[in-house]
Amino acid sequence: ATSTRRRKPCRARVAAAATVCTATMAAAAERTCAPAAAVARTSTRRTASVASMWRQVQGSHDWDGLLQPLHPVVRDEVARYGELVGACYKVLDVDPSSPRHMCCKHDKESVLEEAGAAGAGYEVTRYIYATPDVAGPPSTSGRSSWVGYVAVSTDEMTLRLGRRDVLVSLRGTVTQAEWAANLMSALEPARLDDARGAHPGVKVESGFLNLYTSSADKAACRSSVGGMGSCRDQLLREVSRLVTSFSKDHPDEDMSVTLAGHSMGSALAMLLGYDLAELGLNRDASGRRVPVTVFSYGGPRVGNAAFKDRCDELGVKVLRVANVRDPVTMLPGAILNEGTRGFLAGWAGDCYTHVGVELAMDFLRLRDPASVHDLGAYVSSIKAETCGKAPNAAADGGRGGVFARAMEFVEGQRAAASAWKEAALQMGGLVQTLRMI
């Protein structure tokens, strides 16, 4: 009888066959599945939630790989925080005849709803006032003005965000006294850590420091806002209170501190971020460090290289949303800055230096030159995903080509030192005329 039992192959032949098969399958997969892998990665970017990547959105890895192209979640979060800053402008009482002139029109419980952000998912806990200690018009000199608010995410919003978010939202320049303070562009020691005096080389713009640290002698509103201390005192007290209280009540929750500001407000946010981290007030009840992130919209430079280095050491993350055509983002330090080279590099230690990572944008409306610094235009451009792209000439009535040629001419003139000085003077005049800081 013939046996039907097959002979078992030796182990060596099995191993060799498996190796060949595996190599063949891998090669085939590489040829046929690479497009599918790319689609899968794209799909992952689109379906990722804030909760699943909130630390990256807050800058844990300096937004590496999230800005070019702009990640949808980052885009939505940057636009969302921009709108929360925009609320400051919508509810500010700018009527000189009003008893609440330069204060918020509404109470804390209804302010976001009145600003058109009813579903924002935050509860406002404190209003913030600033008092420029500079010589200005009698109507504004020495008077407090409402500059923004502190809020905390609701339970529902906390679930969506993946953490409890303490938010500080700050507006840009409005009053003449604030404008006068902005023009105080000399660098001076920050003096925010006098108790320890460990970092005397850290310098910031004197005008922003004045706004941040000056106290009110009298109030702008007919309400009990006098004697509340400086903008700094108000912010430090409220942010540290919220961080401590919520970490005690919800010890298992993650937490973040988000400081969002436009123009002058972004400078105040930058000073606050540095201050909180330097004083250790961004630690919760158990001693864990709460991440501090600044979202700056059209923000100017704030301090010198030592200020930047110290912010980096302290782990303060900064995302600067900057329109390349916005002159405010080039000030102060239009001539001497972090990009200074050659024989001027010797002054680098006293040069203004940007902090953080830049999200570059490019937009312009020729019929409205001030739009290059407008917060609403910033938010609209973010939502339209125009970051890093050239502006649409058709949107300006076909005149974009003329402006582009003018810009090319200006860029060519910058090659000469004399032209640099002239450009700086013209830029300063433009900013002063439009009052954009």
Side-chain angles (χ1 to χ4, degrees):
T2 304
S3 174
T4 58
R5 186 173 58 186
R6 294 182 179 177
R7 185 180 180 184
K8 294 182 179 180
C10 70
R11 294 181 179 177
R13 287 198 297 271
V14 171
T19 300
V20 172
C21 182
T22 302
T24 303
M25 292 176 64
E30 184 176 357
R31 290 192 303 271
T32 61
C33 299
V39 171
R41 285 194 298 271
T42 302
S43 177
T44 300
R45 286 173 66 90
R46 290 176 178 171
T47 59
S49 66
V50 181
S52 67
M53 57 178 295
W54 73 265
R55 292 186 185 276
Q56 294 96 307
V57 172
Q58 296 294 109
S60 62
H61 295 91
D62 294 318
W63 296 278
D64 184 33
L66 298 177
L67 303 183
Q68 295 293 336
L70 185 60
H71 193 289
V73 173
V74 175
R75 177 201 63 208
D76 293 346
E77 287 298 282
V78 173
R80 183 175 69 86
Y81 283 121
E83 290 175 334
L84 287 168
V85 175
C88 296
Y89 293 104
K90 294 179 180 178
V91 296
L92 182 66
D93 191 340
V94 295
D95 181 4
S97 64
S98 171
R100 296 187 60 82
H101 180 224
M102 295 315 302
C103 285
C104 184
K105 300 176 184 177
H106 311 285
D107 57 31
K108 294 190 292 291
E109 290 71 25
S110 63
V111 62
L112 292 179
E113 180 179 358
E114 296 290 346
Y122 285 83
E123 295 177 351
V124 176
T125 63
R126 185 179 179 92
Y127 284 165
I128 302 299
Y129 300 81
T131 312
D133 185 18
V134 296
S139 60
T140 60
S141 181
R143 297 174 66 88
S144 295
S145 297
W146 186 78
V147 294
Y149 59 88
V150 181
V152 63
S153 59
T154 62
D155 290 344
E156 182 180 358
M157 189 64 168
T158 296
L159 287 175
R160 192 182 82 80
L161 295 177
R163 86 282 186 188
R164 185 76 62 175
D165 189 34
V166 176
L167 169 67
V168 176
S169 179
L170 299 166
R171 64 164 174 81
T173 305
V174 175
T175 72
Q176 292 182 1
E178 291 167 355
W179 176 245
N182 290 335
L183 294 179
M184 299 166 58
S185 58
L187 281 167
E188 67 173 84
R191 299 193 304 272
L192 299 178
D193 61 341
D194 277 349
R196 290 171 289 175
H199 304 285
V202 173
K203 297 180 180 180
V204 296
E205 199 228 40
S206 58
F208 298 145
L209 186 64
N210 181 293
L211 279 164
Y212 185 60
T213 59
S214 296
S215 298
D217 293 327
K218 55 183 178 178
C221 308
R222 293 175 185 173
S223 59
S224 58
V225 299
M228 59 195 160
S230 65
C231 176
R232 179 198 186 199
D233 294 336
Q234 299 164 57
L235 288 167
L236 293 181
R237 280 198 304 266
E238 186 64 7
V239 173
S240 60
R241 182 187 73 82
L242 292 173
V243 169
T244 301
S245 63
F246 274 94
S247 61
K248 283 182 178 178
D249 296 340
H250 306 277
D252 297 329
E253 277 186 352
D254 286 322
M255 183 176 286
S256 63
V257 173
T258 304
L259 316 176
H262 173 237
S263 197
M264 176 193 78
S266 71
L268 295 177
M270 199 87 71
L271 289 173
L272 175 60
Y274 163 76
D275 209 3
L276 285 168
E278 189 68 82
L279 297 177
L281 297 179
N282 63 322
R283 293 190 177 275
D284 63 16
S286 64
R288 294 178 301 176
R289 188 179 68 83
V290 176
V292 175
T293 304
V294 177
F295 288 101
S296 163
Y297 302 85
R301 296 183 180 93
V302 176
N304 64 351
F307 176 72
K308 173 196 178 300
D309 293 341
R310 187 57 184 158
C311 286
D312 292 343
E313 291 173 7
L314 293 169
V316 178
K317 301 299 181 180
V318 180
L319 183 64
R320 294 185 300 102
V321 187
N323 180 7
V324 298
R325 303 179 189 274
D326 184 351
V328 174
T329 63
M330 307 172 196
L331 298 171
I335 299 176
L336 298 176
N337 52 57
E338 66 275 4
T340 299
R341 299 291 184 269
F343 72 95
L344 295 176
W347 286 291
D350 291 321
C351 290
Y352 278 99
T353 303
H354 271 307
V355 180
V357 177
E358 180 179 88
L359 173 55
M361 309 182 70
D362 194 339
F363 60 86
L364 167 74
R365 295 190 214 109
L366 287 178
R367 294 186 181 89
D368 181 16
S371 66
V372 297
H373 188 62
D374 180 70
L375 179 59
Y378 267 91
V379 174
S380 297
S381 295
I382 293 166
K383 288 183 175 181
E385 297 186 89
T386 58
C387 302
K389 297 179 182 179
N392 184 355
D396 294 313
R399 293 181 293 173
V402 176
F403 184 83
R405 288 194 294 272
M407 290 298 294
E408 290 175 0
F409 174 77
V410 172
E411 291 294 334
Q413 294 300 306
R414 287 178 178 175
S418 59
W420 269 106
K421 294 179 181 179
E422 182 65 23
L425 291 173
Q426 291 177 359
M427 185 178 295
L430 172 64
V431 173
Q432 185 171 3
T433 300
L434 299 178
R435 295 182 179 179
M436 294 192 297
I437 294 182

